[in-house]
Amino acid sequence: MKVSVATCILFLSGSVNAFTTQSGNSISQSSLSRKTQIQPTTQNIKNERLQSFILLAVPVLEEWSITPRGEVSGIVKNHPDLDILDGEFLTTSKLATVADKARQGSTVVTASGSKYKLGKPKNMPQAKKPAQSGGFSFFGGKKSTLAANKKMPILDNWTVTVRGECKGKVSNYPDPSIEDGEIITTSKINEDRGSLKEGSVVTTSSGSSYILGKKRPGLNPFSGSTTSSAASRGGTFNVAESTNSLGSPSPKKVSAPSPWSSFSVANKPSAPAPSPTGTAASNSVKAEAARIQNLRDLKLQYGVNGKTVGNGKYLLAGKPQRSTSGKSNIWSGYRADKDGLPTGDKLTVKVSTNFDAISREADNYNRVCSGLFPGRFVDKAEFLPNTNGDPANEFKNSCALIIESGRKDLKAILAERGGRGFEGRAMRDAASAALQCIQAMHSSGIVWTDMKSENFVIVSDEIGDNGNLPGVKGIDLESAIPRGANPVDFSPEACPPEFANAFISGEGLSFKLDYSYDIWSYGMMLYELTTGRSYFGNKTPAQITKSLQYSNFKADVSAVSDSRLRDLISLCLQPDPKKRPGVTQLLLHPYFLTSGVGPFGW
C-alpha cells in the first residue's frame, strides 16, 4: 500500500487551518498520490505570534524491509494521520533515498517527499544455501560436493511436467532479477524423472543445474491423501506466461500457496466413474488429478487470494494499496468464469466505505466517457453500490468500483528512468492524451482538480524509451466536481495560486472551481514529465501551498529544453487565471500543430 500522510497545521493571518495530505503511485494500476482534505478554520491566533507551517512528528516504521520496487514496508507508529493506527502495516511510495543507505535509526525520504524514521528492521529469513565442500548438505547430513557450488539454484516444492521440465520455488538463483521464492519452470531436464528425489542435482538441456529441495506434495482427489504431484505422475498444467489484450504480461506467479489449493469446482458434472480395474481406471484417475493440478496452478499464476466482490463475480488478487483519500483500498482483480476461475485482463477494484465519493467517481466516468469528447480514460467495468464481498466482515458497508487496470503510472515510470524526462514523440503522446482528458472533462462541465502524473497510467508495454508512449490513460475521478461548485479536496502540487490564497485565508471551502484550475495543473504536469522532476522538488505539501499563495509567484520554466513546449507550459502557468488558455487554444498551439499529435497534426 503506497501511503504517505503528513498532517500540517498552518498558523497564518490570525487563523489556524488544518489539512491532511495523503500520497502514493498505477495500475499498474492504480495511481496513488497526495491529496489534502479541506477543513474549516478552527480557532484564531494572533498573527504576530505564529507565522509558519509546523509539521508533526515523523512516523516510525518498525519490523521494516525494502520491497523489490524500492519501497519500505513495515509496522507504523506515531503516524500523523489519525486514520492510520499504531501497529498498522504500511508500505511507502518508492524511496528517493538510496535503498542501500536505509538502516536502523536513519530517516528516509520517499519519491512523494514524505519522511519516515526506520526502527528495528525485519529479521528476514535466510535462504537455504548448499553446504560447503566437505560439509553437510541440508538433506539428512549427506555430503555433496555439487551442493557446494554457491551459485547453484535450489528448487523447493518442485514437480516435473509432462514435457520433462522442473517447476518449483527457486532460491539462490545467480540472476539477481529472479528473487528467492519466485516460481520458475526450467528447460527440459536430462535425467530420467523416475530417478529424481530430494537432494539430487538435475541438469537441463540448456546446460543449467539445479538442486532439488523438498518435493511438492500432490493431491489424490479420491483418497484425500497426500501423494506425489499430478505433474510428476504425468499430469499437465499451464506454465506459460500469457499476455493480455492490453499488451501487459500476466501477473508474476506468487510463491505462497493459494488459499484455494484444495478447492473443488462446484456445479460441474462429475467425471465418469472409472472402471474398477485396468487401464481405463488408471487413466481416469490421472486425468482427474491433472485437472485439479491445472486449476491450482492457474490460481497461483494469477495470484488470486480467495477474496471476492460482486457475489463472486470478481476475484481479488494480492494485497490492497491505500487510495489517495486514505478511505479506499485498491485491489488487483479478475473476472471469474463459470467455474470460479480468473479470466480476461487484469482489473483494478476500488473498495471503500465512502459511498458518496465512489458513486461520484462512477458517475464522472459515465459522464465524461459518453460525451462528445470521450477523452482517454481507463474503461469503467462496473460500480457495485453494495460490495457483496467475501469474507463479509472485511467488506461490510462498502461499495466497489471496477475499472481497467494500467501497468504503472507516469510518475513511477519517471522514477524508473532515474528522473530522466520524456522527449520527442513520447512527450507529445503523454501531453496529447492528458489534453484530451481535460477536453472531455470541460466539455462535460466538470473540473478535474486532480490532474497530475500519478493519475495517468499506461496500458501498453512501451514506457517512452523507444521514441513513443502510447496507451496513456487518465484515472481517479473521485475529486472531479462541476464547474462553479466547491472542491472536496486538493493536491498541493496541482493547485493554482488563486486556490492556495483562498485556502490559506480560510476560504477553501467556498472556492468556486473554474476550468482554469485544470489548465494550471496541466502546465505543472507537463513540466514534470519533460524535466523528470516535480516543479517544487521535495518541498512538503505545506511548503508548496505557502509558496503558491504569494502574489508575486511566477513559474520558472527555463529548464524545459523544447522551445514550443516551454511556451505552452508558460501559457498554462500564468498567475492570472483569466489569462490562461482554454483547451481549444492549447490544441491549436504550435507544439501540437507541428508534432503530428492530435487531430490537427500532420
Side-chain angles (χ1 to χ4, degrees), residues 106 169 235 264 300 420 446:
S106 65
K169 184 165 60 175
S264 61
L300 284 172
R420 180 167 50 91
I446 298 174

Side-chain angles (χ1 to χ4, degrees), residues 45-65:
I45 296 179
K46 291 182 179 179
N47 185 41
E48 62 271 20
R49 293 185 59 191
L50 297 167
Q51 297 183 359
S52 62
F53 288 96
I54 301 176
L55 296 180
L56 298 184
V58 175
V60 179
L61 285 175
E62 299 284 358
E63 297 295 322
W64 57 271
S65 62

Side-chain angles (χ1 to χ4, degrees), residues 101-371:
K101 295 183 179 180
R103 56 178 58 88
Q104 183 173 347
S106 65
T107 298
V108 294
V109 181
T110 69
S112 62
S114 302
K115 295 181 179 180
Y116 292 86
K117 186 173 182 180
L118 300 181
K120 183 179 179 182
K122 182 177 181 180
N123 293 323
M124 300 299 292
Q126 298 295 320
K128 294 178 179 179
K129 301 291 183 180
Q132 300 297 321
S133 179
F136 286 87
S137 73
F138 52 87
F139 300 110
K142 185 178 179 180
K143 292 185 179 181
S144 171
T145 56
L146 285 174
N149 185 352
K150 293 183 178 180
K151 293 296 183 181
M152 190 179 297
I154 304 165
L155 283 178
D156 283 308
N157 206 29
W158 55 270
T159 60
V160 182
T161 74
V162 290
R163 293 181 294 277
E165 309 148 332
C166 264
K167 178 183 178 182
K169 184 165 60 175
V170 73
S171 60
N172 198 39
Y173 202 87
D175 183 351
S177 66
I178 298 180
E179 302 169 2
D180 287 359
E182 283 196 34
I183 303 295
I184 68 167
T185 302
T186 72
S187 313
K188 188 174 181 179
I189 59 175
N190 298 325
E191 288 76 13
D192 175 53
R193 71 178 65 193
S195 66
L196 301 183
K197 57 184 178 180
E198 296 180 357
S200 61
V201 176
V202 295
T203 56
T204 68
S205 57
S206 63
S208 301
S209 298
Y210 296 84
I211 300 173
L212 299 182
K214 186 176 181 181
K215 190 174 183 180
R216 180 177 183 176
L219 178 66
N220 186 328
F222 299 101
S223 68
S225 61
T226 300
T227 63
S228 59
S229 72
S232 65
R233 292 183 282 106
T236 62
F237 50 83
N238 179 19
V239 296
E241 288 199 6
S242 61
T243 300
N244 62 32
S245 61
L246 297 176
S248 57
S250 299
K252 187 180 291 184
K253 299 178 181 66
V254 296
S255 58
S258 166
W260 291 333
S261 58
S262 61
F263 78 103
S264 61
V265 178
N267 302 321
K268 190 168 185 179
S270 58
S275 174
T277 59
T279 304
S282 176
N283 289 342
S284 177
V285 171
K286 287 183 177 180
E288 179 64 10
R291 183 185 69 81
I292 291 177
Q293 185 67 43
N294 270 328
L295 298 176
R296 292 177 63 188
D297 283 301
L298 186 60
K299 290 177 182 292
L300 284 172
Q301 176 183 339
Y302 282 83
V304 290
N305 55 29
K307 299 177 181 181
T308 68
V309 296
N311 289 319
K313 185 176 181 179
Y314 300 99
L315 310 176
L316 302 184
K319 295 181 179 180
Q321 296 177 332
R322 185 68 66 91
S323 72
T324 57
S325 65
K327 302 297 184 182
S328 303
N329 283 328
I330 311 296
W331 300 81
S332 293
Y334 297 89
R335 289 184 183 272
D337 66 12
K338 61 184 180 63
D339 294 323
L341 299 174
T343 185
D345 300 324
K346 185 167 71 170
L347 300 168
T348 292
V349 182
K350 189 173 186 177
V351 178
S352 176
T353 56
N354 191 338
F355 180 86
D356 290 341
I358 305 304
S359 61
R360 178 176 61 244
E361 183 171 11
D363 290 342
N364 285 336
Y365 275 114
N366 293 340
R367 188 169 176 178
V368 300
C369 296
S370 61

Side-chain angles (χ1 to χ4, degrees), residues 308-498:
T308 68
V309 296
N311 289 319
K313 185 176 181 179
Y314 300 99
L315 310 176
L316 302 184
K319 295 181 179 180
Q321 296 177 332
R322 185 68 66 91
S323 72
T324 57
S325 65
K327 302 297 184 182
S328 303
N329 283 328
I330 311 296
W331 300 81
S332 293
Y334 297 89
R335 289 184 183 272
D337 66 12
K338 61 184 180 63
D339 294 323
L341 299 174
T343 185
D345 300 324
K346 185 167 71 170
L347 300 168
T348 292
V349 182
K350 189 173 186 177
V351 178
S352 176
T353 56
N354 191 338
F355 180 86
D356 290 341
I358 305 304
S359 61
R360 178 176 61 244
E361 183 171 11
D363 290 342
N364 285 336
Y365 275 114
N366 293 340
R367 188 169 176 178
V368 300
C369 296
S370 61
L372 179 62
F373 302 100
R376 295 287 303 278
F377 294 97
V378 293
D379 296 329
K380 185 195 110 178
E382 188 173 359
F383 172 59
L384 303 174
N386 188 330
T387 305
N388 289 321
D390 182 27
N393 288 340
E394 182 170 350
F395 301 106
K396 184 179 180 181
N397 300 324
S398 61
C399 58
L401 179 66
I402 296 92
I403 58 175
E404 176 186 4
S405 184
R407 289 186 58 220
K408 57 188 68 176
D409 64 56
L410 294 184
K411 194 173 191 72
I413 294 176
L414 288 176
E416 291 178 358
R417 292 164 60 90
R420 180 167 50 91
F422 299 116
E423 300 174 346
R425 179 78 188 214
M427 180 62 206
R428 292 190 291 269
D429 284 346
S432 177
L435 189 54
Q436 290 178 60
C437 288
I438 296 181
Q439 184 181 37
M441 285 282 190
H442 294 182
S443 65
S444 300
I446 298 174
V447 182
W448 195 343
T449 77
D450 205 22
M451 167 164 277
K452 52 192 175 187
S453 57
E454 296 97 323
N455 284 346
F456 286 90
V457 298
I458 58 168
V459 294
S460 66
D461 289 325
E462 180 55 55
I463 60 172
D465 288 330
N466 296 323
N468 55 46
L469 190 65
V472 176
K473 293 190 176 184
I475 64 170
D476 196 354
L477 309 188
E478 183 179 325
S479 302
I481 299 293
R483 181 189 188 190
N486 311 122
V488 292
D489 53 36
F490 76 102
S491 297
E493 67 272 33
C495 81
E498 62 270 21

Side-chain angles (χ1 to χ4, degrees), residues 425 428 564 587 589-602:
R425 179 78 188 214
R428 292 190 291 269
R564 294 188 184 92
L587 286 170
H589 190 275
Y591 178 70
F592 291 114
L593 288 177
T594 60
S595 68
V597 176
F600 303 104
W602 45 261

